[in-house]
Amino acid sequence: MPSRSCANLLDMASGDILDIPQTPRALPRVMTVPGIIADGDSDSMSSSCRERKIVVANMLPLHAQRDTTAKKWLFSLDEDSLLLQLKDGFSPETEVVYVGSLKVDVEHSEQEEVAQRLLDEFKCVPTFVPHDIQEKFYHGFCKQQLWPLFHYMLPMCPDHGDRFDRQMWQAYVSANKVFADKVMEVVNPDDDYIWIQDYHLMVLPTFLRKRYHRVKLGFFLHSPFPSSEIYRTLPVRDEILKGLLNCDLIGFHTFDYARHFLSCCSRMLGLDYESKRGHIGLDYFGRTVYIKILPVGIHMGRLESVMNLSSTFDKAKEVQEQFKGKKVILGVDDMDIFKGISLKLLAFEYLLQQDQNLQGKLVLVQIVNPARSSGKDVQEAKRETYSTAERINKIYGRSNYEPVVLIDRPVPRYEKTAYYAVAECCLVNAVRDGMNLVPYKYIVCRQGSPGMDDAMGIKTDSPRTSMLVVSEFIGCSPSLSGAIRVNPWDIEAVAEALNVAITMSDSEKQLRHEKHYRYVSSHDVAYWARSFMQDLERACKDHYSKRCWGIGLGLGFRVIALSPNFRKLSIDHIVSSYRRTQRRAIFLDYDGTVVPQSSLIKAPSAEVITLLNSLSNDPKNTVYIVSGRGRKSLSEWLAPCERLGIAAEHGYFIRSSKTSDWECLASDLEWKPIVEPVMKLYTETTDGSYIEPKESALVWHHQDADPDFGSCQAKELLDHLENVLSNEPAVVKRGQHIVEVKPQGVTKGLVAQNVLSLMVDSGTPPDFVMCIGDDRSDEDMFESILSSVSSSSITAAPDIFACTVGQKPSKAKYYLDDTADVLRLLQGLGNASCPKPRYTAHFQVAFDSVL
């Protein structure tokens, strides 16, 4: 039985998991000068500086045919391929290299020759995924599991889709590894931009990021991305999300798709996003992963060239004559269960039934593109389509009138273009579709051309009209504001929309058409590619301004990017400074610093008490625990530490030792009766939330609430409280799953500032300052220490050690990995401390008098 663990699939895929044969001979790489980036990065250097884009997709933009007579392969570019058309968005000097599979199987003995030929003639790098892996990868995991899931189809029972298959997933990972190897053969990681296309290659970014930490990676999803309720059913959901997050830029057709992806990242990985200067960004271990929302366009030149063919003119005249005196509604769809062809026919039938005047005057021409798969669902959809069309024609048809014309054969482009030009209305009724460019093509064809106008007998200066009825569940719908949007499942509403479309005045049709044509002609495929690449370049511009580390096993691998001056705090280094200094100030956070954040027992261990005593009992040290916790808990837990200073509730309460009294830095809490009822209101309406009352503050927690609803409510509560407290001496702050109200001026930074000032005023200015913390509130301390030392009257600058717990962006200069690291450091300092304490009463008196 195969292991159900996916953690090491990335490493397994590079081994013997599915016995992938190696490429006969490595393709020539652009890299000519090997080298290693500083800071441990594995990226390679290159002397080439020509701008280059590497486009990676499941299939290469090529036609392939075997000449059986000459026993050789014939290759040609597929001019209709999106991959080929997107080149128009790049400068003419840009070299575009394609990596992908061929649509045919090439014998192993021919692969080396074919690979070299495709690279030389077409700038294409074939992957040659072994046939058995290709079947399980593409026809298995991609088409039977990912594609239905991304279109909201769950395998509730064996008759409705295939259940998750671990072997197919392993084939998916292995195929992605093959693609990664091919990209690595040709990429120059310092200069090239890699653009990955669609759901077939969603773990490819992990392989590439693991090899090249600073690789420039973009990804565009051409299918829908489902809501979190659907996506979370996928057993390998985290691996795929983390794969996409190894990119620098992720593109979606619509905001809905992007919103669903961000919701999944929030609910499953705990990641929040924010808008940065108009761009949506996710902070992922110090790297910002940007989100791009832009629907793909069509290639205007390609479509216009087909529209001006003589064969198109002839076909347009023929279709126009065939349906003379009738209004034509056109549908062009693939034969699959998500295109809603049968729903479209039912709506058309209902329209004829409700308005008898339309019988004999209205025709639905449905062009059915060949199915891309051949499952049981496709066959059922095909049977239903044919039976419905036959029934409609039988009931409403006449000797010279067939209301539904079903064209179920490969239709050449010129013929489709002719139908687009003749149709008064185009109906796209898909129940779920990633984009669908049929409406765009229809609009351009209805705009016409001089040749087409002449063929159809239309005056050149006559107004152009078009009408679109589109499903609200397709990707192009948001961009077509003049279309009539419908719910494809509501047959009566679709029928009514068709009636509105065909009876609308020509002036209204003209206005809608002009609006659509302006958008389609300006937002073509070149605009889409250019815009995406510009955003990718912007997303990658800071790659070399940070230090990078790779962490995580298998498909959980990610890169941590931090400031070049940010480094791990060496115990030997700080102990050396500690030994040679005489007046030390030490500030320690509590939760997440000396006590693990995940620990259910929040009281300190005996080891922690011993370490704190060894430091605070040294007469050269002034030691404080600075925490957001209440003074009662801290007093009880830290009672054995006689000379330890404690700042509770972020510094609202403070004492310098166990024998001194608690002092209060602020006293006005008259705002609490205003805040409490507001928080209670939000607690009652937000399941899973609760209020934590403190002596100086009120905290609303929502970590146990629904992530999206809790976050939404927190934003509302923040605005609400800021309004009601606008004239009160209180501040409202939002933190990790909390909204907190506390007195103005109470921060951990103020604690550090006051303690350092007192040391200076008492004639014992510090020559050693250490501050360790793990969360946002501790950042105030880091900042305060640096500003206090630089602005105070200290003649000699002290040694400063501001240290955060965990490798993450911080104002601190140093980091320690976890609480265990912190305790080891404190142990080192404790061993270097003076064993016999000497009480310094004058500092205690000075501190109490100032407070």
Side-chain angles (χ1 to χ4, degrees), residues 157-405:
C157 60
D159 291 336
H160 292 83
D162 295 334
R163 302 278 171 82
F164 178 79
D165 187 320
R166 185 75 43 179
Q167 289 187 344
M168 289 184 181
W169 163 244
Q170 291 175 345
Y172 181 87
V173 174
S174 297
N176 275 244
K177 179 65 169 61
V178 174
F179 276 79
D181 291 340
K182 292 302 179 182
V183 173
M184 292 175 195
E185 289 180 3
V186 296
V187 70
N188 170 16
D190 296 332
D191 301 318
D192 296 347
Y193 289 88
I194 301 174
W195 189 359
I196 302 169
Q197 308 286 333
D198 223 2
Y199 64 93
H200 315 91
L201 304 170
M202 289 192 292
V203 298
L204 173 57
T206 297
F207 289 103
L208 296 176
R209 185 69 66 187
K210 186 176 184 182
R211 177 66 180 87
Y212 307 115
H213 292 171
R214 293 184 176 92
V215 67
K216 302 165 184 175
L217 272 179
F219 180 94
F220 198 93
L221 184 67
H222 294 272
S223 77
F225 196 94
S227 66
S228 60
E229 287 73 18
I230 299 294
Y231 180 79
R232 70 199 309 174
T233 63
L234 186 64
V236 290
R237 62 193 191 183
D238 287 359
E239 289 85 344
I240 289 177
L241 284 180
K242 290 174 181 178
L244 294 177
L245 289 170
N246 274 317
C247 294
D248 297 293
L249 178 66
I250 306 171
F252 299 92
H253 286 304
T254 73
F255 176 70
D256 274 350
Y257 303 162
R259 178 169 56 85
H260 294 157
F261 172 76
L262 293 170
S263 176
C264 289
C265 290
S266 173
R267 290 172 175 269
M268 295 162 212
L269 302 180
L271 300 177
D272 292 324
Y273 69 92
E274 62 180 350
S275 182
K276 299 180 179 180
R277 297 184 180 275
H279 300 280
I280 299 174
L282 277 163
D283 184 67
Y284 189 59
F285 295 93
R287 293 173 50 248
T288 300
V289 180
Y290 288 95
I291 305 299
K292 175 77 171 176
I293 302 168
L294 183 66
V296 71
I298 60 174
H299 193 285
M300 294 289 292
R302 176 67 176 161
L303 187 54
E304 287 169 350
S305 65
V306 174
M307 192 160 49
N308 288 317
L309 294 174
S310 59
S311 55
T312 307
F313 300 156
D314 295 339
K315 188 63 182 180
K317 284 190 288 187
E318 178 188 328
V319 173
Q320 193 177 35
E321 184 62 31
Q322 178 184 354
F323 299 111
K324 188 174 182 179
K326 299 180 180 65
K327 292 185 177 181
V328 176
I329 298 173
L330 178 66
V332 180
D333 302 280
D334 295 344
M335 176 54 75
D336 70 50
I337 58 175
F338 297 110
K339 292 302 185 288
I341 298 177
S342 58
L343 292 174
K344 183 187 304 185
L345 294 176
L346 291 175
F348 183 72
E349 180 182 32
Y350 185 81
L351 179 61
L352 295 178
Q353 177 185 335
Q354 294 298 308
D355 191 346
Q356 296 183 2
N357 293 326
L358 294 175
Q359 296 175 19
K361 300 176 182 177
L362 193 63
V363 176
L364 172 63
V365 177
Q366 177 62 52
I367 297 176
V368 181
N369 298 323
R372 300 187 186 185
S373 57
S374 55
K376 182 169 59 178
D377 292 332
V378 174
Q379 298 305 316
E380 289 179 359
K382 192 170 185 177
R383 279 196 299 271
E384 183 180 6
T385 298
Y386 268 92
S387 62
T388 305
E390 288 174 3
R391 184 182 71 246
I392 295 171
N393 287 337
K394 183 177 180 180
I395 296 174
Y396 301 103
R398 302 169 188 168
S399 58
N400 61 341
Y401 170 63
E402 192 177 39
V404 177
V405 178

